[in-house]
Amino acid sequence: MTTVVPGTREARRAEPVTPPAPVVASDPRRKQARVAAIRRGREHAEVSAGVGLCRYDDGCVALAAVGPSGPAQVRSLRSLRARLAREAWAELVVDLSALEGDCGPALVRVLGQLRMQRLTAGARVEVHGAPPALAAALGASPATVYTVHDEPPAR
């Protein structure tokens, strides 16, 4: 992939974007935080709409979606954007193992938005317990490479 540096006509080789290295899932802190987030999501499901959070380190948050997915759960996840931006600046661990039933498109969309928000901010993101279709929708496919040109090609 080549790009043209603004103000020059020299082409330079752009570095391909690689995803962060996978994290060992057996880390006890992450596992305990995931269990705690699931428990918190179940404790007061009517208030939390089936979403539980647990901070387990400075800048690290575990989020769990539990129970049946629905509009209330999607609204609850959307309302967490600002809080996650403040608290999950280093790492976000999402656990979907306690989610019941099928994931609707709205839930997939909001989970993808939360994931991308954290990735673009430089945080590490892990997703646990996602069905294969949801894992693929959340970005398990390889990155797409584009060629960027400052000027349109000559015709």
Side-chain angles (χ1 to χ4, degrees):
M1 177 168 112
T2 60
T3 60
V4 176
V5 179
T8 68
R9 303 306 283 161
E10 298 175 21
R12 64 180 170 89
R13 186 88 176 136
E15 296 295 322
V17 177
T18 57
V23 178
V24 177
S26 63
D27 184 4
R29 292 177 306 128
R30 287 181 189 87
K31 187 172 184 175
Q32 290 172 352
R34 288 173 32 217
V35 170
I38 290 170
R39 187 182 68 247
R40 289 177 185 169
R42 285 184 176 150
E43 283 176 350
H44 304 288
E46 65 281 350
V47 176
S48 67
V51 176
L53 288 178
C54 179
R55 289 177 35 187
Y56 63 92
D57 209 354
D58 188 29
C60 301
V61 174
L63 178 144
V66 300
S69 63
Q73 193 174 50
V74 171
R75 283 192 301 274
S76 180
L77 287 167
R78 280 189 184 131
S79 70
L80 290 174
R81 286 182 189 160
R83 181 175 176 185
L84 291 175
R86 287 189 312 271
E87 296 178 6
W89 52 266
E91 186 173 46
L92 175 65
V93 178
V94 180
D95 193 307
L96 304 173
S97 61
L99 198 58
E100 298 171 5
D102 191 24
C103 298
L107 180 62
V108 172
R109 189 176 315 112
V110 75
L111 287 171
Q113 290 168 350
L114 290 174
R115 179 182 170 275
M116 289 308 299
Q117 176 196 38
R118 297 294 76 231
L119 286 174
T120 56
R124 179 180 303 167
V125 178
E126 290 181 36
V127 179
H128 295 272
L134 179 58
L138 289 177
S141 59
T144 305
V145 178
Y146 297 97
T147 301
V148 179
H149 301 279
D150 284 343
E151 298 175 9
R155 294 185 181 193

